[in-house]
Amino acid sequence: MSLQMKLSAITLDCPDAPALAAFYQQATGLEPHPKSDAEFAGLNGENGLFIGFQRVDDYRAPRWPDQTVPQQLHLCFKVGEDLEAAEARLLELGAGRPDHQPHGAKARVLTDPAGHPFCIVRD
């Protein structure tokens, strides 16, 4: 019999937990966890999924696509609007846009304010 597991949380290391939580809260509309603080902040997602942001001393941002500091994690988000509009909104919130875009018109690779790469794709 196989073990049945359900993903309940994803946690990202970062230099500033509340700031990164605020970026993702503005980008996704998820609700901030009431016990968030400077060391660990979180967002309550759909179906019980929790996204956490953990402050780490001497944090080193991933260097995507270069693997000098590996990405270690890659998030993908579906967007209901066109990619250009979603990308523009995320850039206004503080996302970055790497020069390397391997997916053509199908998706965009962006980086959050702590350097984690993530994709946006049309829903």
Side-chain angles (χ1 to χ4, degrees):
M1 183 165 104
S2 67
L3 177 64
Q4 296 295 313
M5 298 189 330
K6 179 182 175 186
L7 182 63
S8 63
I10 297 169
T11 299
L12 302 174
D13 290 348
C14 60
D16 184 334
L20 195 56
F23 168 80
Y24 279 104
Q25 192 277 323
Q26 291 174 26
T28 64
L30 297 177
E31 291 296 318
H33 190 276
K35 293 185 179 178
S36 294
D37 60 32
E39 295 298 313
F40 191 91
L43 299 174
N44 294 317
E46 296 175 10
N47 301 319
L49 181 63
F50 177 84
I51 303 174
F53 308 93
Q54 176 175 274
R55 191 186 74 73
V56 173
D57 290 332
D58 302 320
Y59 172 77
R60 293 178 50 206
R63 305 253 327 153
W64 189 88
D66 177 16
Q67 292 298 302
T68 305
V69 180
Q71 66 183 354
Q72 300 177 12
L73 177 74
H74 186 106
L75 301 172
C76 292
F77 295 92
K78 291 181 178 178
V79 295
E81 56 197 313
D82 67 68
L83 288 178
E84 291 77 20
E87 178 183 356
R89 180 167 162 6
L90 290 162
L91 292 172
E92 287 176 8
L93 293 175
R97 185 182 194 278
D99 291 335
H100 182 62
Q101 292 293 318
H103 305 299
K106 295 187 290 184
R108 298 286 190 286
V109 178
L110 302 174
T111 55
D112 69 24
H116 303 105
F118 65 94
C119 285
I120 54 173
V121 297
R122 250 184 229 105
D123 189 9

